[in-house]
Amino acid sequence: MTPPVVHSLREQIREHILEGIVSGRWQPGERIVERRIAVELEVSQTPVREALRELESLQLIESAPNKGVRVRNLTADDLKESYPVRAGLEQVAAELAAGRLSENTMALEREVAALREADLAGDGEAQVRHTVAFHQEIVRAAGNAVLLHTWESLGIEVWTTLSIRWFSPEPRSHAQDHQEIVDAFRRRDPKIGALLKAHVLSCAPRV
């Protein structure tokens, strides 16, 4: 059984705002009012402000004096910028984690099984969640705290959500893509780093 995912209040608010942007509730250029979100969710404005700051640091929204916070007009090119950075980090992670993951791929297999169910159900939210979890398992297995912190600071979940929900040209088998990575770890493929890098780059959004 997969353990429940517990999110902090800030993370829940961030996901609420992100979903509003992805679904079109807030259009590019439209103002997001901190106080209204706080009232709607029945929370104080502090965690809302923290969530907005996090989304601004990821350049999903922008703020200006006397204009408040507004949704950025994001393009596929904007989203693509993080992928070469992420790909390089995950290449290093795969090479560092290769020995450990070649002996035990259970954590990766669990996420692939969940992705298989999400693919069949066409559940975009679950596809994002388990895709991110899969890659995070690899980065964690590298055993390098600096690498993990840098990877997490990229806002992988946010960009993956937008890439899959906005810019994926057609449905793809997320489970199969990730199963191939598991198989490469199992057979101790000496090119595992390059394989994972190529995989990440292939996930970059296309117009």
Side-chain angles (χ1 to χ4, degrees):
M1 180 180 295
T2 303
V5 178
V6 179
H7 294 294
S8 69
L9 181 58
R10 173 186 55 76
E11 290 173 325
Q12 292 178 53
I13 295 170
R14 183 199 68 190
E15 291 176 5
H16 172 78
I17 298 170
L18 177 61
E19 178 58 32
I21 293 172
V22 171
S23 66
R25 175 183 176 183
W26 290 296
Q27 296 293 324
E30 187 174 350
R31 187 181 177 193
I32 299 178
V33 182
E34 178 184 304
R35 178 173 50 80
R36 290 179 186 170
I37 295 175
V39 171
E40 177 184 345
L41 299 180
E42 300 181 345
V43 298
S44 72
Q45 289 183 225
T46 299
V48 177
R49 189 175 304 119
E50 292 173 349
L52 288 171
R53 284 175 180 167
E54 182 176 341
L55 292 173
E56 185 175 11
S57 72
L58 296 173
Q59 300 183 8
L60 185 61
I61 60 177
E62 55 191 359
S63 62
N66 304 318
K67 292 185 178 180
V69 176
R70 298 181 184 275
V71 179
R72 284 191 62 211
N73 185 19
L74 292 168
T75 66
D77 285 339
D78 291 321
L79 269 65
K80 286 169 64 176
E81 287 186 352
S82 69
Y83 279 82
V85 179
R86 175 185 168 186
L89 292 173
E90 293 198 28
Q91 178 178 14
V92 173
E95 291 167 353
L96 292 175
R100 184 176 294 119
L101 291 177
S102 67
E103 297 176 355
N104 186 350
T105 59
M106 287 183 61
L108 299 182
E109 290 170 359
R110 182 171 59 246
E111 300 304 334
V112 170
L115 276 172
R116 192 168 289 112
E117 293 182 5
D119 288 346
L120 289 172
D123 187 340
E125 182 180 341
Q127 287 174 329
V128 169
R129 185 168 63 254
H130 295 292
T131 292
V132 173
F134 179 95
H135 289 268
Q136 189 172 47
E137 289 290 350
I138 295 174
V139 179
R140 283 177 175 163
N144 186 304
V146 174
L147 179 61
L148 177 60
H149 175 75
T150 304
W151 185 87
E152 290 179 337
S153 73
L154 293 176
I156 304 298
E157 185 170 0
V158 170
W159 299 126
T160 302
T161 297
L162 295 178
S163 295
I164 290 178
R165 299 276 293 275
W166 277 2
F167 295 108
S168 289
E170 59 186 21
R172 62 187 289 176
S173 175
H174 296 278
Q176 182 56 39
D177 289 346
H178 291 82
Q179 182 63 55
E180 291 172 3
I181 297 170
V182 175
D183 294 341
F185 275 115
R186 280 179 177 167
R187 66 175 180 264
R188 301 175 183 268
D189 193 319
K191 297 181 179 179
I192 184 61
L195 287 172
L196 188 56
K197 179 181 180 180
H199 163 76
V200 172
L201 291 175
S202 76
C203 295
R206 299 173 176 82
V207 178

